[in-house]
Amino acid sequence: MSKTAFLTKDKAEEIAKRWPTPFHIYDEKGIRDNARAVKEAFAWNPGFREYFAVKATPNPFIMQLMNEFDFGFDCSSDAELVLADAVLPSESEYNDGSLPGGGRGGRIMFSSNETPAAEYERAARLGAIINLDDITHIDFLEKIIGPAFPETMSCRFNPGGTFTMSNGIMDNPGDSKYGMTREQLFEAFRRLKDHGVKHFGIHAFLASNTVTNDYYPVLASRLFDLAVSAHRELGIHIAFINLSGGVGIPYRPDAEPNDIYAIGEGVRREYERVLIPEGMGDTAIYAEMGRFMLAPYGALVTRAVHEKHIYKEYIGVDACAANLMRPAMYGAYHHITVLGKEGAPADHIYDVVGSLCENNDKFAIDRQLPEIEKGDLIYIHDTGAHGFSMGYNYNGRLLSAELLLKEDGTVQEIRRAQTLRDYFATFDGTPYGEKLLDCISR
Ligand SMILES: *Cc1c(COP(=O)(O)O)cnc(C)c1O
Protein backbone atom coordinates (compact mmCIF):
# COMPACT_ATOMS: atom_id res chain seq x y z
CA MET A 1 0.00 0.00 0.00
CA SER A 2 1.28 3.45 -0.76
CA LYS A 3 0.26 7.05 -0.95
CA THR A 4 0.92 9.27 -3.92
CA ALA A 5 2.91 12.47 -3.50
CA PHE A 6 1.61 15.53 -5.33
CA LEU A 7 5.19 16.39 -6.31
CA THR A 8 7.64 14.48 -8.49
CA LYS A 9 11.30 14.36 -7.61
CA ASP A 10 12.14 16.68 -10.52
CA LYS A 11 9.55 19.24 -9.49
CA ALA A 12 10.69 19.09 -5.85
CA GLU A 13 14.36 19.53 -6.86
CA GLU A 14 13.39 22.50 -9.02
CA ILE A 15 11.54 24.07 -6.07
CA ALA A 16 14.42 23.32 -3.68
CA LYS A 17 16.79 25.37 -5.89
CA ARG A 18 14.83 28.48 -4.96
CA TRP A 19 13.53 27.48 -1.50
CA PRO A 20 16.03 25.30 0.33
CA THR A 21 14.64 22.35 2.28
CA PRO A 22 12.83 21.94 4.54
CA PHE A 23 9.61 23.53 3.31
CA HIS A 24 5.90 22.93 3.67
CA ILE A 25 4.04 22.93 0.37
CA TYR A 26 0.27 22.94 -0.26
CA ASP A 27 -1.61 21.69 -3.31
CA GLU A 28 -4.08 24.34 -4.46
CA LYS A 29 -6.01 21.99 -6.75
CA GLY A 30 -6.45 19.38 -4.03
CA ILE A 31 -7.68 22.01 -1.58
CA ARG A 32 -10.19 23.43 -4.09
CA ASP A 33 -11.53 20.05 -5.23
CA ASN A 34 -12.07 18.94 -1.65
CA ALA A 35 -13.71 22.23 -0.61
CA ARG A 36 -16.08 21.91 -3.57
CA ALA A 37 -16.98 18.37 -2.50
CA VAL A 38 -17.70 19.54 1.07
CA LYS A 39 -20.00 22.23 -0.28
CA GLU A 40 -21.82 19.77 -2.55
CA ALA A 41 -22.20 17.15 0.16
CA PHE A 42 -24.17 19.56 2.33
CA ALA A 43 -25.93 21.48 -0.45
CA TRP A 44 -29.24 19.93 0.70
CA ASN A 45 -29.05 22.30 3.70
CA PRO A 46 -29.49 25.87 2.43
CA GLY A 47 -27.85 27.42 5.50
CA PHE A 48 -24.83 25.10 5.53
CA ARG A 49 -21.49 26.70 6.20
CA GLU A 50 -18.02 25.31 6.78
CA TYR A 51 -16.04 27.53 9.15
CA PHE A 52 -12.46 26.54 8.37
CA ALA A 53 -10.62 25.91 11.65
CA VAL A 54 -7.90 28.53 11.33
CA LYS A 55 -5.60 26.85 13.85
CA ALA A 56 -5.06 23.99 11.38
CA THR A 57 -3.33 26.19 8.80
CA PRO A 58 -3.25 29.85 9.86
CA ASN A 59 -2.07 31.31 6.56
CA PRO A 60 -4.10 34.06 4.84
CA PHE A 61 -3.33 32.69 1.36
CA ILE A 62 -4.85 29.34 2.33
CA MET A 63 -7.78 31.07 4.04
CA GLN A 64 -8.37 33.11 0.88
CA LEU A 65 -9.08 29.83 -0.96
CA MET A 66 -11.86 29.17 1.58
CA ASN A 67 -13.40 32.55 0.74
CA GLU A 68 -13.98 31.32 -2.82
CA PHE A 69 -16.52 28.86 -1.39
CA ASP A 70 -18.09 31.44 0.94
CA PHE A 71 -16.80 29.45 3.90
CA GLY A 72 -16.23 31.18 7.21
CA PHE A 73 -13.49 30.92 9.82
CA ASP A 74 -13.48 29.18 13.17
CA CYS A 75 -11.22 31.22 15.45
CA SER A 76 -10.18 30.75 19.05
CA SER A 77 -7.49 33.35 19.63
CA ASP A 78 -6.70 36.98 18.96
CA ALA A 79 -4.28 36.11 16.14
CA GLU A 80 -6.90 33.92 14.45
CA LEU A 81 -9.51 36.70 14.67
CA VAL A 82 -7.03 39.13 13.11
CA LEU A 83 -6.36 36.67 10.29
CA ALA A 84 -10.09 36.28 9.59
CA ASP A 85 -10.52 40.05 9.67
CA ALA A 86 -7.67 40.46 7.17
CA VAL A 87 -8.96 37.83 4.77
CA LEU A 88 -12.73 38.32 4.67
CA PRO A 89 -14.11 40.67 1.99
CA SER A 90 -15.43 44.02 3.20
CA GLU A 91 -18.83 44.38 4.84
CA SER A 92 -20.15 46.36 1.86
CA GLU A 93 -19.52 43.46 -0.52
CA TYR A 94 -21.82 41.29 1.58
CA ASN A 95 -24.45 44.02 1.76
CA ASP A 96 -24.52 45.39 -1.81
CA GLY A 97 -25.34 42.01 -3.33
CA SER A 98 -21.94 41.31 -4.91
CA LEU A 99 -21.48 38.42 -2.44
CA PRO A 100 -24.01 36.12 -0.76
CA GLY A 101 -25.68 37.99 2.09
CA GLY A 102 -25.75 37.28 5.78
CA GLY A 103 -23.16 39.79 6.92
CA ARG A 104 -19.42 39.65 7.36
CA GLY A 105 -19.37 38.90 11.08
CA GLY A 106 -21.50 35.81 10.48
CA ARG A 107 -18.49 34.34 8.66
CA ILE A 108 -16.53 34.26 11.92
CA MET A 109 -17.23 31.63 14.56
CA PHE A 110 -15.44 32.38 17.81
CA SER A 111 -15.17 28.91 19.41
CA SER A 112 -12.67 29.71 22.14
CA ASN A 113 -12.07 28.49 25.65
CA GLU A 114 -10.38 30.07 28.70
CA THR A 115 -10.88 33.26 26.70
CA PRO A 116 -9.09 36.50 27.61
CA ALA A 117 -11.40 39.53 27.86
CA ALA A 118 -9.66 41.38 25.03
CA GLU A 119 -10.48 38.52 22.65
CA TYR A 120 -14.20 38.60 23.41
CA GLU A 121 -13.97 42.33 22.85
CA ARG A 122 -12.43 41.89 19.41
CA ALA A 123 -14.86 39.11 18.49
CA ALA A 124 -17.81 41.32 19.43
CA ARG A 125 -16.33 44.26 17.50
CA LEU A 126 -16.06 42.06 14.40
CA GLY A 127 -19.64 40.89 14.83
CA ALA A 128 -18.44 37.29 15.12
CA ILE A 129 -20.76 34.56 16.34
CA ILE A 130 -19.61 33.92 19.90
CA ASN A 131 -19.73 30.29 20.97
CA LEU A 132 -19.56 30.20 24.78
CA ASP A 133 -17.54 27.36 26.27
CA ASP A 134 -18.93 27.79 29.78
CA ILE A 135 -21.96 29.19 31.59
CA THR A 136 -19.76 31.48 33.72
CA HIS A 137 -18.69 33.24 30.55
CA ILE A 138 -22.10 34.92 30.36
CA ASP A 139 -21.23 37.18 33.29
CA PHE A 140 -17.67 37.53 32.03
CA LEU A 141 -18.97 38.66 28.63
CA GLU A 142 -21.48 41.08 30.18
CA LYS A 143 -18.64 42.90 31.93
CA ILE A 144 -16.98 43.38 28.53
CA ILE A 145 -19.81 44.18 26.14
CA GLY A 146 -22.61 45.21 28.49
CA PRO A 147 -25.99 43.53 29.02
CA ALA A 148 -27.23 43.71 25.41
CA PHE A 149 -25.79 40.64 23.68
CA PRO A 150 -25.68 39.94 19.92
CA GLU A 151 -28.90 38.47 18.48
CA THR A 152 -27.17 35.22 17.51
CA MET A 153 -25.07 33.27 20.00
CA SER A 154 -24.02 29.70 20.56
CA CYS A 155 -23.12 27.39 23.44
CA ARG A 156 -20.78 24.44 23.52
CA PHE A 157 -22.15 21.15 24.84
CA ASN A 158 -20.30 18.37 26.66
CA PRO A 159 -22.41 15.25 27.31
CA GLY A 160 -19.81 13.75 29.70
CA GLY A 161 -19.09 10.03 29.86
CA THR A 162 -17.76 8.32 26.80
CA PHE A 163 -18.80 8.96 23.25
CA THR A 164 -19.61 5.57 21.77
CA MET A 165 -20.76 4.51 18.35
CA SER A 166 -21.67 1.07 17.03
CA ASN A 167 -17.99 0.26 16.49
CA GLY A 168 -16.94 1.17 20.05
CA ILE A 169 -15.67 4.04 22.15
CA MET A 170 -14.61 7.02 20.03
CA ASP A 171 -13.52 9.45 22.71
CA ASN A 172 -13.92 10.56 26.29
CA PRO A 173 -15.93 13.81 26.65
CA GLY A 174 -16.13 13.24 30.43
CA ASP A 175 -12.38 13.92 30.60
CA SER A 176 -12.39 16.93 28.31
CA LYS A 177 -12.26 20.54 29.50
CA TYR A 178 -14.70 21.83 26.88
CA GLY A 179 -18.36 22.69 26.94
CA MET A 180 -21.27 22.74 29.38
CA THR A 181 -23.41 20.03 30.91
CA ARG A 182 -26.94 19.65 29.60
CA GLU A 183 -28.38 21.44 32.66
CA GLN A 184 -25.92 24.31 32.27
CA LEU A 185 -26.65 24.55 28.56
CA PHE A 186 -30.39 24.98 29.14
CA GLU A 187 -29.76 27.47 31.94
CA ALA A 188 -27.35 29.37 29.70
CA PHE A 189 -29.96 29.56 26.94
CA ARG A 190 -32.51 30.96 29.43
CA ARG A 191 -30.08 33.59 30.57
CA LEU A 192 -28.95 34.49 27.07
CA LYS A 193 -32.60 34.99 26.16
CA ASP A 194 -32.79 37.58 28.95
CA HIS A 195 -29.79 39.27 27.33
CA GLY A 196 -31.74 39.68 24.11
CA VAL A 197 -30.38 36.69 22.18
CA LYS A 198 -32.94 35.53 19.59
CA HIS A 199 -31.15 32.87 17.58
CA PHE A 200 -29.25 30.06 19.25
CA GLY A 201 -26.60 27.61 18.16
CA ILE A 202 -25.49 24.33 19.69
CA HIS A 203 -21.88 23.21 19.26
CA ALA A 204 -20.04 20.04 20.24
CA PHE A 205 -16.70 18.46 19.38
CA LEU A 206 -16.73 14.94 20.82
CA ALA A 207 -14.10 12.94 18.92
CA SER A 208 -10.97 13.81 16.98
CA ASN A 209 -9.64 12.47 13.66
CA THR A 210 -12.53 10.06 13.17
CA VAL A 211 -12.01 7.85 10.15
CA THR A 212 -15.61 6.69 9.73
CA ASN A 213 -18.55 8.13 7.83
CA ASP A 214 -20.73 7.72 10.92
CA TYR A 215 -19.21 10.29 13.31
CA TYR A 216 -21.00 13.38 12.02
CA PRO A 217 -24.38 11.60 11.61
CA VAL A 218 -24.23 10.12 15.13
CA LEU A 219 -23.14 13.45 16.64
CA ALA A 220 -25.83 15.23 14.62
CA SER A 221 -28.60 12.94 15.83
CA ARG A 222 -27.62 13.64 19.47
CA LEU A 223 -27.41 17.38 18.95
CA PHE A 224 -30.70 17.39 17.00
CA ASP A 225 -32.44 15.62 19.92
CA LEU A 226 -30.99 18.24 22.26
CA ALA A 227 -32.12 21.03 19.92
CA VAL A 228 -35.67 19.65 19.87
CA SER A 229 -35.75 19.60 23.69
CA ALA A 230 -34.38 23.14 23.94
CA HIS A 231 -36.88 24.33 21.37
CA ARG A 232 -39.81 22.66 23.16
CA GLU A 233 -38.84 23.45 26.75
CA LEU A 234 -37.50 26.98 26.29
CA GLY A 235 -39.41 28.08 23.21
CA ILE A 236 -36.21 29.31 21.59
CA HIS A 237 -35.20 29.41 17.94
CA ILE A 238 -32.34 27.01 17.23
CA ALA A 239 -30.70 28.68 14.25
CA PHE A 240 -27.82 26.26 13.78
CA ILE A 241 -26.17 23.05 14.86
CA ASN A 242 -22.37 23.25 14.73
CA LEU A 243 -20.82 19.81 14.23
CA SER A 244 -17.37 21.37 14.69
CA GLY A 245 -14.23 19.44 13.66
CA GLY A 246 -13.15 15.87 14.12
CA VAL A 247 -13.66 14.51 10.62
CA GLY A 248 -10.42 12.68 10.04
CA ILE A 249 -8.14 11.59 7.24
CA PRO A 250 -6.33 8.30 6.64
CA TYR A 251 -2.74 9.00 7.69
CA ARG A 252 -1.90 5.34 7.07
CA PRO A 253 -1.89 4.14 3.48
CA ASP A 254 -4.11 1.13 4.19
CA ALA A 255 -6.91 3.14 5.90
CA GLU A 256 -10.14 3.86 4.03
CA PRO A 257 -10.70 7.61 3.50
CA ASN A 258 -13.92 9.24 4.66
CA ASP A 259 -16.53 9.83 1.97
CA ILE A 260 -17.81 13.36 2.55
CA TYR A 261 -20.87 12.69 0.38
CA ALA A 262 -21.84 9.72 2.58
CA ILE A 263 -21.25 11.91 5.65
CA GLY A 264 -23.48 14.67 4.24
CA GLU A 265 -26.21 12.15 3.41
CA GLY A 266 -25.95 10.61 6.88
CA VAL A 267 -26.50 14.01 8.48
CA ARG A 268 -29.41 14.66 6.11
CA ARG A 269 -31.06 11.37 7.17
CA GLU A 270 -30.95 12.39 10.83
CA TYR A 271 -32.09 15.92 9.98
CA GLU A 272 -35.15 14.58 8.20
CA ARG A 273 -35.85 12.07 10.94
CA VAL A 274 -35.49 14.42 13.93
CA LEU A 275 -35.76 18.08 12.96
CA ILE A 276 -38.20 18.14 10.05
CA PRO A 277 -41.12 16.56 11.99
CA GLU A 278 -40.61 19.26 14.65
CA GLY A 279 -40.95 22.04 12.09
CA MET A 280 -37.27 22.91 12.57
CA GLY A 281 -36.37 22.71 8.89
CA ASP A 282 -34.75 26.15 8.91
CA THR A 283 -31.90 24.94 11.13
CA ALA A 284 -28.53 25.46 9.46
CA ILE A 285 -25.75 22.89 9.68
CA TYR A 286 -22.33 24.30 10.42
CA ALA A 287 -18.95 22.56 10.43
CA GLU A 288 -15.53 23.65 11.66
CA MET A 289 -13.31 21.17 9.88
CA GLY A 290 -9.60 21.83 9.78
CA ARG A 291 -7.87 18.51 9.26
CA PHE A 292 -10.29 17.25 6.62
CA MET A 293 -9.99 20.51 4.65
CA LEU A 294 -6.21 20.68 4.53
CA ALA A 295 -4.18 17.76 5.92
CA PRO A 296 -3.90 15.64 2.74
CA TYR A 297 -3.09 18.70 0.63
CA GLY A 298 0.12 19.64 2.39
CA ALA A 299 3.53 17.98 2.62
CA LEU A 300 6.79 18.62 4.40
CA VAL A 301 9.72 18.20 2.03
CA THR A 302 13.06 17.59 3.69
CA ARG A 303 16.43 16.23 2.61
CA ALA A 304 18.40 13.30 3.97
CA VAL A 305 21.64 14.82 5.22
CA HIS A 306 23.14 12.08 7.36
CA GLU A 307 23.03 8.34 7.81
CA LYS A 308 24.06 6.60 10.96
CA HIS A 309 24.54 2.92 11.75
CA ILE A 310 24.54 2.04 15.45
CA TYR A 311 22.08 -0.28 17.15
CA LYS A 312 19.53 0.86 14.58
CA GLU A 313 19.72 2.46 11.18
CA TYR A 314 19.10 6.21 11.22
CA ILE A 315 18.49 8.69 8.46
CA GLY A 316 19.00 12.29 9.61
CA VAL A 317 16.99 14.92 7.76
CA ASP A 318 17.13 18.71 7.70
CA ALA A 319 13.60 19.10 9.16
CA CYS A 320 12.83 18.38 12.79
CA ALA A 321 9.88 18.23 15.16
CA ALA A 322 9.88 22.05 15.21
CA ASN A 323 8.56 21.81 11.65
CA LEU A 324 6.14 18.94 12.31
CA MET A 325 5.35 18.11 15.89
CA ARG A 326 2.65 15.44 15.53
CA PRO A 327 4.94 12.38 15.49
CA ALA A 328 6.87 13.59 18.56
CA MET A 329 3.80 14.76 20.43
CA TYR A 330 1.24 12.07 19.68
CA GLY A 331 3.32 9.30 18.14
CA ALA A 332 1.33 10.12 15.02
CA TYR A 333 2.01 8.21 11.82
CA HIS A 334 2.93 10.27 8.76
CA HIS A 335 3.55 8.37 5.58
CA ILE A 336 6.91 8.94 3.86
CA THR A 337 7.77 8.79 0.17
CA VAL A 338 11.39 8.89 -0.92
CA LEU A 339 11.00 11.01 -4.03
CA GLY A 340 12.28 9.32 -7.17
CA LYS A 341 12.16 5.91 -5.49
CA GLU A 342 8.39 5.45 -5.56
CA GLY A 343 8.68 2.09 -7.32
CA ALA A 344 11.69 0.77 -5.41
CA PRO A 345 11.25 -2.11 -2.95
CA ALA A 346 10.84 -1.00 0.69
CA ASP A 347 13.56 -3.38 1.86
CA HIS A 348 15.29 -1.21 4.47
CA ILE A 349 14.16 -0.36 8.00
CA TYR A 350 14.96 3.12 9.25
CA ASP A 351 14.28 5.64 11.96
CA VAL A 352 13.95 8.96 10.11
CA VAL A 353 15.03 11.63 12.59
CA GLY A 354 15.44 15.37 13.02
CA SER A 355 18.18 17.33 14.74
CA LEU A 356 16.57 18.28 18.06
CA CYS A 357 18.44 17.23 21.20
CA GLU A 358 15.34 15.35 22.18
CA ASN A 359 14.99 11.64 21.40
CA ASN A 360 11.33 11.90 20.41
CA ASP A 361 12.35 13.89 17.33
CA LYS A 362 11.58 11.03 14.96
CA PHE A 363 9.37 11.32 11.90
CA ALA A 364 9.30 7.55 11.53
CA ILE A 365 10.37 4.64 13.69
CA ASP A 366 11.24 1.19 12.28
CA ARG A 367 9.77 2.26 8.94
CA GLN A 368 10.16 0.05 5.89
CA LEU A 369 11.47 2.26 3.12
CA PRO A 370 13.58 2.00 -0.01
CA GLU A 371 17.31 2.45 0.50
CA ILE A 372 17.90 6.14 1.29
CA GLU A 373 21.05 7.91 0.18
CA LYS A 374 22.31 11.24 1.43
CA GLY A 375 20.78 13.97 -0.69
CA ASP A 376 17.50 12.14 -1.29
CA LEU A 377 14.35 14.22 -0.91
CA ILE A 378 11.98 12.85 1.72
CA TYR A 379 8.32 13.75 1.26
CA ILE A 380 6.32 13.57 4.48
CA HIS A 381 2.61 13.27 3.69
CA ASP A 382 -0.50 14.85 5.18
CA THR A 383 1.09 17.83 6.90
CA GLY A 384 -1.39 20.41 5.55
CA ALA A 385 -3.26 20.74 8.85
CA HIS A 386 -1.79 20.94 12.35
CA GLY A 387 1.64 20.74 10.68
CA PHE A 388 3.45 24.05 10.22
CA SER A 389 0.96 25.64 12.61
CA MET A 390 2.16 23.60 15.60
CA GLY A 391 5.73 24.67 14.89
CA TYR A 392 8.01 25.95 17.61
CA ASN A 393 11.58 27.10 18.10
CA TYR A 394 13.17 24.61 20.48
CA ASN A 395 16.97 24.40 20.11
CA GLY A 396 16.67 27.65 18.17
CA ARG A 397 15.41 25.69 15.17
CA LEU A 398 13.61 27.93 12.72
CA LEU A 399 10.22 27.62 11.04
CA SER A 400 10.31 26.76 7.36
CA ALA A 401 8.79 28.57 4.40
CA GLU A 402 5.25 27.72 3.29
CA LEU A 403 4.73 27.35 -0.46
CA LEU A 404 1.62 26.97 -2.59
CA LEU A 405 1.68 24.75 -5.67
CA LYS A 406 -0.80 26.55 -7.90
CA GLU A 407 -3.17 24.84 -10.28
CA ASP A 408 -1.07 26.06 -13.22
CA GLY A 409 2.02 24.33 -11.81
CA THR A 410 3.79 27.46 -10.62
CA VAL A 411 4.88 27.86 -7.02
CA GLN A 412 4.10 30.83 -4.81
CA GLU A 413 5.85 31.60 -1.54
CA ILE A 414 3.02 32.21 0.91
CA ARG A 415 5.26 32.66 3.94
CA ARG A 416 9.03 33.04 3.94
CA ALA A 417 11.24 30.96 6.17
CA GLN A 418 11.99 32.34 9.60
CA THR A 419 15.48 33.79 10.01
CA LEU A 420 17.79 34.18 12.99
CA ARG A 421 16.87 37.89 12.93
CA ASP A 422 13.23 36.92 13.46
CA TYR A 423 14.22 34.52 16.21
CA PHE A 424 16.16 37.19 18.11
CA ALA A 425 13.72 40.03 17.32
CA THR A 426 12.04 39.98 20.72
CA PHE A 427 15.30 40.98 22.44
CA ASP A 428 14.91 44.39 20.82
CA GLY A 429 15.21 47.21 23.29
CA THR A 430 17.60 45.19 25.44
CA PRO A 431 21.41 45.46 25.36
CA TYR A 432 21.49 42.14 23.48
CA GLY A 433 19.14 43.18 20.70
CA GLU A 434 21.77 44.78 18.46
CA LYS A 435 24.58 42.55 19.64
CA LEU A 436 22.82 39.34 18.63
CA LEU A 437 22.06 40.77 15.21
CA ASP A 438 25.74 41.76 14.80
CA CYS A 439 26.86 38.30 15.79
CA ILE A 440 24.66 36.67 13.13
CA SER A 441 26.80 38.12 10.37
CA ARG A 442 30.15 37.61 12.06
C1 LIG B 1 -9.36 22.10 16.56
C2 LIG B 1 -10.74 22.52 16.40
C3 LIG B 1 -11.44 22.31 15.20
C4 LIG B 1 -10.82 21.60 14.02
O1 LIG B 1 -10.60 20.27 14.26
P1 LIG B 1 -10.14 19.28 13.10
O2 LIG B 1 -9.96 18.00 13.80
O3 LIG B 1 -8.89 19.84 12.55
O4 LIG B 1 -11.20 19.25 12.09
C5 LIG B 1 -12.72 22.78 15.09
N1 LIG B 1 -13.32 23.43 16.11
C6 LIG B 1 -12.71 23.64 17.30
C7 LIG B 1 -13.42 24.37 18.37
C8 LIG B 1 -11.40 23.18 17.48
O5 LIG B 1 -10.80 23.39 18.65
Side-chain angles (χ1 to χ4, degrees):
M1 285 286 198
S2 77
K3 273 177 177 269
T4 307
F6 59 77
L7 287 179
T8 60
K9 175 177 196 267
D10 287 351
K11 184 74 185 177
E13 286 291 5
E14 178 197 324
I15 296 168
K17 282 201 187 97
R18 169 113 183 254
W19 292 281
T21 53
F23 54 80
H24 279 270
I25 185 161
Y26 305 96
D27 172 23
E28 184 182 49
K29 179 167 168 31
I31 295 169
R32 280 218 181 90
D33 288 350
N34 182 65
R36 203 170 292 121
V38 166
K39 192 142 177 131
E40 280 170 17
F42 287 91
W44 57 267
N45 183 256
F48 173 77
R49 176 159 290 136
E50 150 72 5
Y51 290 84
F52 173 61
V54 175
K55 75 162 187 264
T57 322
N59 185 304
F61 293 88
I62 298 294
M63 293 166 70
Q64 176 58 37
L65 294 174
M66 302 293 144
N67 272 343
E68 292 174 18
F69 300 88
D70 193 30
F71 290 164
F73 299 109
D74 159 36
C75 304
S76 69
S77 71
D78 211 30
E80 292 171 8
L81 286 169
V82 168
L83 279 163
D85 191 18
V87 165
L88 281 168
S90 68
E91 185 76 58
S92 58
E93 287 172 87
Y94 289 111
N95 296 336
D96 68 11
S98 49
L99 287 172
R104 183 179 200 255
R107 267 77 179 173
I108 304 174
M109 184 67 62
F110 191 51
S111 288
S112 62
N113 65 94
E114 322 319 325
T115 313
E119 298 183 6
Y120 273 137
E121 209 174 296
R122 188 191 294 277
R125 206 159 57 235
L126 291 174
I129 302 173
I130 294 176
N131 180 29
L132 295 176
D133 183 63
D134 190 56
I135 190 164
T136 61
H137 290 208
I138 297 176
D139 291 336
F140 189 76
L141 188 63
E142 183 176 356
K143 290 205 187 86
I144 301 159
I145 66 169
F149 282 11
E151 284 198 354
T152 303
M153 284 193 65
S154 172
C155 289
R156 185 163 182 167
F157 173 55
N158 182 335
T162 51
F163 180 72
T164 38
M165 303 195 346
S166 53
N167 53 349
I169 294 180
M170 298 292 297
D171 223 318
N172 229 328
D175 281 341
S176 108
K177 67 175 179 172
Y178 307 109
M180 313 180 194
T181 68
R182 185 189 163 102
E183 291 68 32
Q184 290 173 335
L185 185 83
F186 278 54
E187 178 59 20
F189 283 162
R190 276 190 209 99
R191 293 178 53 196
L192 289 175
K193 215 169 132 184
D194 294 339
H195 282 285
V197 177
K198 296 194 172 61
H199 311 290
F200 294 80
I202 299 177
H203 170 281
F205 188 164
L206 302 187
S208 202
N209 193 31
T210 59
V211 189
T212 155
N213 295 330
D214 294 333
Y215 169 64
Y216 258 15
V218 169
L219 173 65
S221 82
R222 297 192 190 167
L223 298 184
F224 293 164
D225 284 337
L226 193 64
V228 167
S229 303
H231 174 65
R232 282 194 193 158
E233 287 176 36
L234 309 172
I236 56 172
H237 176 229
I238 303 293
F240 64 84
I241 300 292
N242 187 343
L243 300 174
S244 190
V247 178
I249 64 127
Y251 286 98
R252 288 179 185 272
D254 52 356
E256 185 72 20
N258 284 332
D259 174 354
I260 195 67
Y261 292 99
I263 291 173
E265 276 310 300
V267 174
R268 185 221 279 256
R269 234 178 8 251
E270 296 304 317
Y271 192 95
E272 288 175 354
R273 185 178 67 78
V274 182
L275 292 183
I276 296 289
E278 293 288 326
M280 295 172 70
D282 68 336
T283 310
I285 301 299
Y286 291 169
E288 295 175 336
M289 292 180 279
R291 193 185 314 272
F292 187 80
M293 304 309 293
L294 251 301
Y297 317 109
L300 173 59
V301 179
T302 179
R303 204 181 281 282
V305 288
H306 293 285
E307 57 182 274
K308 175 164 180 168
H309 316 280
I310 48 170
Y311 309 102
K312 297 179 81 173
E313 296 294 294
Y314 292 95
I315 295 295
V317 297
D318 59 7
C320 66
N323 307 110
L324 177 68
M325 192 189 210
R326 297 186 73 260
M329 188 173 184
Y330 311 120
Y333 181 95
H334 277 266
H335 199 65
I336 285 177
T337 295
V338 184
L339 292 178
K341 297 183 175 174
E342 287 83 351
D347 53 5
H348 285 62
I349 294 181
Y350 294 115
D351 281 14
V352 178
V353 303
S355 58
L356 294 188
C357 302
E358 170 78 90
N359 197 39
N360 67 1
D361 186 12
K362 298 183 173 183
F363 292 116
I365 297 174
D366 297 330
R367 185 76 59 89
Q368 279 188 285
L369 290 165
E371 179 169 24
I372 297 175
E373 288 151 281
K374 278 185 272 182
D376 280 351
L377 285 174
I378 309 284
Y379 177 105
I380 304 178
H381 290 253
D382 301 321
T383 70
H386 313 299
F388 179 94
S389 64
M390 290 176 83
Y392 58 110
N393 281 132
Y394 194 45
N395 268 171
R397 291 292 165 200
L398 303 176
L399 303 181
S400 77
E402 288 182 290
L403 309 175
L404 182 63
L405 176 65
K406 312 275 282 184
E407 292 209 37
D408 65 7
T410 59
V411 173
Q412 180 185 9
E413 179 183 274
I414 58 173
R415 187 194 311 242
R416 68 165 170 80
Q418 198 178 26
T419 64
L420 279 183
R421 289 187 153 263
D422 298 325
Y423 179 71
F424 292 129
T426 45
F427 291 110
D428 60 345
T430 80
Y432 286 106
E434 286 303 313
K435 193 163 184 187
L436 286 162
L437 300 189
D438 286 347
C439 289
I440 293 173
S441 46
R442 239 184 241 177

